[in-house]
Amino acid sequence: MSSCKVAVVQAGSIVMNKEKCIDKAINLIQEAGDQGANIIVFPEAYIPAYPRGMSFGAVVGSRTAEGRNEFLRYSTNAITVPGPETDRLGEIAKKVGAYVVMGVIERDSEFSGGTLYCTAIFIGPDGTLLGKHRKLKPTGSERLIWGEGDGSTLPVFDTPYGKIGAVICWENYMPLLRTAMYEKGIQIYIAPTADHRDSWFATMRHIALEGRCFVLSCNQYSTKDMHENDLLESEDMQKAPFELTRGGSCIINPLGEFLVEPVFGKEEILYADLDLNDITRGHFDFDVVGHYNRRDIFKLIVNEERQ
């Protein structure tokens, strides 16, 4: 197909409550589906939360009992992939007939069962779990609570609306990862994130222009009252501002121009109709892994074996 409608869901998690997060997500997917969206995108770590402002009681050389309990709660509200939560999401994706890309915290179910991953899952319009991408390099303090993914989860899926894939938050600052996605032919480049700084938008526009692809950047709008009451009693949350994440989701075309400019200060679903022919128009003068590449000089080797 030469066109499609996308929905970027800027919404906040019900922090540390996976059931309420999924209930909210189902309602938002239904709303986007009712508007005719073919691809519906959610932010990084939407289920059960990007735990902004939480220290988990850790400083260099020391952890607290309270912090271990916070991690226990976080892990308990993480999901397995596949699992009952992905089944529920598959049911609503099938009902509305759309692809759904959802940011989750995934609990390892294959090895020790103790490690959490920041993951983007892909669900097809028939309700099938198509696959997942685990974040390769957690940033800063994220490394305490999330493990590292490997090259076996770098999918790009061929859909009737173009090839889609996801690169999570500061992975987008990894040039070789971007190049790997370009070499897979990505056309709708999904960037779930927790970064709401002004500098983020320059990165998103650059990627669209560099990759000659549509970029869907999706962030949460989150406030303290989206936390359970007992979480608000912690010292970390008492210090935190009311508005934790200001949003900033946006949609960008293959020439680096905003189709939907960044939205701040509210929950909102952003919509855009994409003309996939714009990708070919962009390739007229620049194809980063095609006629503008020098394979006689540069080579990229990607290890996609499961580790």
Side-chain angles (χ1 to χ4, degrees), residues 2 47 71 136 155 176:
S2 62
I47 301 169
F71 182 78
L136 295 179
L176 301 184

Side-chain angles (χ1 to χ4, degrees), residues 132-134 136 149-155 303-307:
K132 65 186 178 184
H133 165 55
R134 286 177 171 174
L136 295 179
D150 63 29
S152 69
T153 65
L154 297 176
N303 178 6
E304 296 194 51
E305 292 184 7
R306 188 165 175 260
Q307 304 297 315

Side-chain angles (χ1 to χ4, degrees), residues 154-204:
L154 297 176
V156 169
F157 297 98
D158 201 355
T159 81
Y161 313 109
K163 294 182 178 181
I164 67 173
V167 180
I168 303 170
C169 205
W170 277 23
E171 287 186 317
N172 288 283
Y173 292 127
M174 300 171 73
L176 301 184
L177 174 54
R178 297 201 308 268
T179 303
M181 301 304 278
Y182 302 151
E183 287 192 341
K184 290 172 180 280
I186 193 168
Q187 295 172 299
I188 299 177
Y189 185 114
I190 297 164
T193 189
D195 192 336
H196 55 189
R197 301 169 306 151
D198 290 341
S199 55
W200 178 252
F201 310 114
T203 298
M204 294 293 97

Side-chain angles (χ1 to χ4, degrees), residues 124-141:
D126 61 354
T128 301
L129 177 66
L130 301 175
K132 65 186 178 184
H133 165 55
R134 286 177 171 174
K135 193 174 188 178
L136 295 179
K137 178 62 72 172
T139 301
S141 298

